[in-house]
Amino acid sequence: MKKYKNYVALFYVLSVFFVIPIYNKGTYENISVHKTDAYLFLCGITLVLYVITSVIDDLQKINDESLRKRTFSKVDVAMAIFGGVVLISTLLSDSIKESVYGVPGFGMGALTIILMILSFFFISRYYFYNTWVVHVIVASSVLPTILAILNRTGFDPLSMFSSSADAQNSLYVSTFGNYGWYSEYMAIIIPIAVYMLFTTKDKIERVLYGAYVALVVLAIISCGTTMMLVSALIAVLFAFKRKFLPDRKIVDAKLAPWIVAGVMLVYLVCVLFISRNGDLANGRGYIWKLSFDLYGSLPLDKKIIGVGPNRYMYALNDYLAAKPEAAAEFASRFNGLALTSAHSEYLDYLVCTGFHGLLAYLYLIFRVVERFLETGLGKKDREIAFIAAVSYMAYSFANFSMVCATPMFFILLAMVAKERR
């Protein structure tokens, strides 16, 4: 039955990468809500298929002693710890319902996080790498990318905009609802394409990936973000190393904690520096300072366990209600709009799941990096997954979890940490 579980895992991987990005109902109104519903629906189908195959498999192997000998890897333990922290934060939040479902339109509450964690365990055990899947994943982004470029040149072939909206100047592009959402999604796809371009030995593949990368460059210029360039640079550097120094081991697993700690230290310094000027980083300076102020105002228990997954907006509203001066500055900057996240996944975890939630997430990242340095170097499937995961981590320094990219990130983590069974 392992073969059928692989089919179930393959269904989940392809549906998340292929269906979620292009799914829409012909309008930008509530598009993120619809995508969240679609993701939960796909998870439901996957769960049903898994239960069916598992029941049949367990009945066939009811006397198989090997079933009792399976152990958890260090990455498994780290992922389980992160899941446990999320559940604690949810159960002890001021509103369990809000923590479970998250902000409407984002849907990155405990329900989605736990489903992504479950997908990690399933894929790391039953998904088997196939090159054609990589081709399909990259190819699935071609249509959204073409649509994004067309939108920025003033065309709206899907009639997603209202009659009064200007496609060329709108913040919305393609089938995502926001150019930032499209960019974060592409931060995962770009590294895969760049890696394939530099490493494939097939001439036809090289031509196709070259054409694709050229298309993406046009998209970055017309509707991308600065962080997309950072993600692309990460992929290029890794691909160059793989191409020209394939046998040289620059780092080993012993350096993993220092690498993660060093990167986070640099990130913290950058955040603190940018927070001193509210207009830096497209207004993130103000948002990050506000997030630190919000976290600092929390009682000790909430500093530890957080306010609940994806409850940043609700906690911020309570904070502003108690701080008239802060509320006045916020109103002048956002003009009645809601701020749904800290615009940094790491600050979001700090506020929403507390200090122990952020530590659990960083511990998970450390274990994944360690696992890759131990077993992934030189293995094409793991290298593809790792550079795409690193690109997501870099992009999320200045962005937030969302259904168009974060479930893909957990798939990539599973591919890096997967077991050879």
Side-chain angles (χ1 to χ4, degrees):
M1 292 299 295
K2 185 182 291 187
K3 177 178 68 173
Y4 296 104
K5 289 182 179 179
N6 175 50
Y7 291 155
V8 176
L10 186 62
F11 164 79
Y12 176 79
V13 171
L14 292 179
S15 62
V16 168
F17 273 98
F18 195 89
V19 175
I20 300 301
I22 64 174
Y23 179 78
N24 68 85
K25 292 189 175 182
T27 176
Y28 284 119
E29 184 178 359
N30 292 325
I31 188 170
S32 55
V33 176
H34 299 151
K35 286 184 182 293
T36 301
D37 293 342
Y39 174 70
L40 295 177
F41 177 74
L42 292 173
C43 284
I45 295 177
T46 303
L47 182 61
V48 170
L49 293 174
Y50 172 70
V51 169
I52 293 173
T53 55
S54 293
V55 169
I56 297 174
D57 191 32
D58 290 344
L59 290 175
Q60 291 177 345
K61 297 181 178 180
I62 194 169
N63 296 318
D64 191 343
E65 293 293 328
S66 65
L67 292 177
R68 304 170 189 174
K69 299 179 181 179
R70 293 182 178 177
T71 58
F72 286 92
S73 69
K74 294 177 181 178
V75 183
D76 291 338
V77 173
M79 186 65 75
I81 290 173
F82 177 61
V85 165
V86 169
L87 287 177
I88 291 173
S89 179
T90 301
L91 294 175
L92 298 180
S93 70
D94 294 334
S95 174
I96 294 179
K97 182 178 179 181
E98 290 173 352
S99 295
V100 168
Y101 294 104
V103 178
F106 287 78
M108 297 304 296
L111 175 60
T112 302
I113 295 174
I114 295 302
L115 287 173
M116 293 188 298
I117 290 174
L118 292 176
S119 76
F120 165 86
F121 284 105
F122 181 56
I123 292 169
S124 65
R125 283 155 172 74
Y126 300 112
Y127 173 76
F128 300 100
Y129 171 80
N130 291 290
T131 303
W132 68 266
V133 175
V134 175
H135 300 331
V136 172
I137 288 173
V138 175
S140 68
S141 67
V142 172
L143 178 60
T145 298
I146 292 175
L147 288 172
I149 295 171
L150 289 175
N151 290 158
R152 278 295 181 261
T153 55
F155 297 97
D156 180 23
L158 295 184
S159 300
M160 298 282 281
F161 295 94
S162 65
S163 58
S164 60
D166 183 354
Q168 189 173 8
N169 298 313
S170 174
L171 290 176
Y172 298 148
V173 296
S174 189
T175 53
F176 286 83
N178 184 284
Y179 78 103
W181 287 51
Y182 165 76
S183 296
E184 186 164 341
Y185 159 71
M186 289 301 295
I188 288 177
I189 305 298
I190 290 173
I192 300 175
V194 171
Y195 180 94
M196 293 299 293
L197 173 63
F198 279 93
T199 61
T200 184
K201 297 180 180 179
D202 187 285
K203 293 182 179 179
I204 296 178
E205 286 184 8
R206 187 174 295 115
V207 170
L208 291 175
Y209 276 105
Y212 175 85
V213 170
L215 181 69
V216 167
V217 169
L218 180 58
I220 291 176
I221 294 172
S222 61
C223 55
T225 64
T226 302
M227 290 304 296
M228 280 183 75
L229 298 176
V230 175
S231 300
L233 178 61
I234 291 172
V236 169
L237 291 175
F238 196 98
F240 264 80
K241 190 276 174 189
R242 181 71 176 83
K243 180 71 174 180
F244 300 108
L245 298 170
D247 300 321
R248 183 175 178 180
K249 193 171 185 179
I250 300 176
V251 294
D252 57 30
K254 294 180 180 179
L255 294 176
W258 298 104
I259 293 172
V260 174
V263 171
M264 293 311 301
L265 179 60
V266 172
Y267 163 70
L268 179 59
V269 171
C270 290
V271 168
L272 292 176
F273 173 77
I274 292 173
S275 297
R276 298 179 65 180
N277 188 326
D279 296 324
L280 287 178
N282 196 24
R284 280 172 175 78
Y286 168 74
I287 296 173
W288 290 346
K289 183 181 183 302
L290 183 64
S291 299
F292 282 122
D293 292 341
L294 167 60
Y295 181 75
S297 72
L298 298 176
L300 180 60
D301 61 328
K302 294 301 182 183
K303 283 186 173 72
I304 297 173
I305 65 172
V307 299
N310 206 197
R311 288 196 73 248
Y312 177 93
M313 181 182 74
Y314 304 107
L316 178 63
N317 290 341
D318 292 339
Y319 170 77
L320 293 176
K323 301 283 186 178
E325 292 183 3
E329 182 181 3
F330 179 84
S332 66
R333 284 181 174 271
F334 283 85
N335 194 28
L337 296 176
L339 181 60
T340 54
S341 77
H343 280 66
S344 170
E345 190 172 72
Y346 305 90
L347 288 182
D348 272 338
Y349 279 126
L350 177 64
V351 173
C352 295
T353 59
F355 185 69
H356 80 329
L358 177 60
L359 283 183
Y361 187 61
L362 294 178
Y363 178 66
L364 168 62
I365 291 174
F366 154 63
R367 285 303 185 190
V368 171
V369 173
E370 180 186 54
R371 180 62 174 269
F372 174 75
L373 295 177
E374 287 177 342
T375 63
L377 289 171
K379 296 182 175 67
K380 187 174 182 178
D381 56 337
R382 299 197 188 207
E383 288 187 343
I384 289 174
F386 184 73
I387 61 169
V390 169
S391 178
Y392 173 89
M393 293 179 213
Y395 197 92
S396 61
F397 281 160
N399 277 277
F400 41 82
S401 302
M402 61 180 188
V403 75
C404 295
T406 311
M408 301 174 186
F409 173 60
F410 277 80
I411 290 174
L412 296 169
L413 296 182
M415 291 172 67
V416 174
K418 70 180 181 178
E419 309 217 359
R420 301 291 183 183
R421 295 180 181 270

